[in-house]
Amino acid sequence: FRQAAEQGLEDAQLTLGRCYAEGKGCVKNEEEAVKLFRQAAEQGLEDAQLTLGRCYAEGKGCVKNEEEAARFYRQAAEQGLALAQYRLGECCMLGAGVVHDIAEAARYFHLAADQ
């Protein structure tokens, strides 16, 4: 995976990032995982955007940042990823990284549920 990730293949970046995040086949390194997730997310890979959002929401491998979490959840949600729509709905409901907006939360929850 490392060679493919270094060549810029977003699926390989996501997979290698997961290996680093979990310490599978390598020494656990959450900071390196976030770096790889970001590379894949910047190429538009929705699973990487969701994963990076979770890292920011939980402060794993990076400083906890609700605004960044919501931003990456939104990117994945706009591509139709149901779990990202749900997570963004939670952000809207709680006012975590975005303006507290129950109507917007309900909209994202409905989008997720409709899948």
Side-chain angles (χ1 to χ4, degrees):
F1 292 114
R2 184 179 319 278
Q3 187 176 24
E6 289 171 356
Q7 292 176 0
L9 299 175
E10 63 270 14
D11 287 324
Q13 291 165 335
L14 176 61
T15 301
L16 184 57
R18 287 180 174 155
C19 290
Y20 276 114
E22 299 168 13
K24 289 188 176 178
C26 59
V27 175
K28 185 174 182 174
N29 184 333
E30 291 179 337
E31 292 81 11
E32 185 65 21
V34 166
K35 177 182 162 189
L36 288 158
F37 295 150
R38 178 177 298 283
Q39 290 172 357
E42 288 174 351
Q43 294 186 70
L45 187 63
E46 63 272 9
D47 286 336
Q49 293 163 342
L50 173 65
T51 302
L52 188 56
R54 191 186 75 235
C55 290
Y56 277 111
E58 298 174 2
K60 290 193 174 188
C62 57
V63 175
K64 185 175 180 176
N65 185 324
E66 292 178 341
E67 290 82 13
E68 283 293 284
R71 180 170 78 90
F72 284 105
Y73 287 154
R74 183 177 308 279
Q75 289 176 8
E78 288 174 355
Q79 294 191 67
L81 195 62
L83 184 54
Q85 292 166 340
Y86 177 81
R87 295 282 183 239
L88 186 56
E90 287 182 319
C91 291
C92 294
M93 182 177 68
L94 300 171
V98 296
V99 175
H100 178 258
D101 187 335
I102 296 299
E104 189 75 350
R107 184 174 82 80
Y108 280 109
F109 289 144
H110 283 290
L111 284 172
D114 286 345
Q115 295 188 48

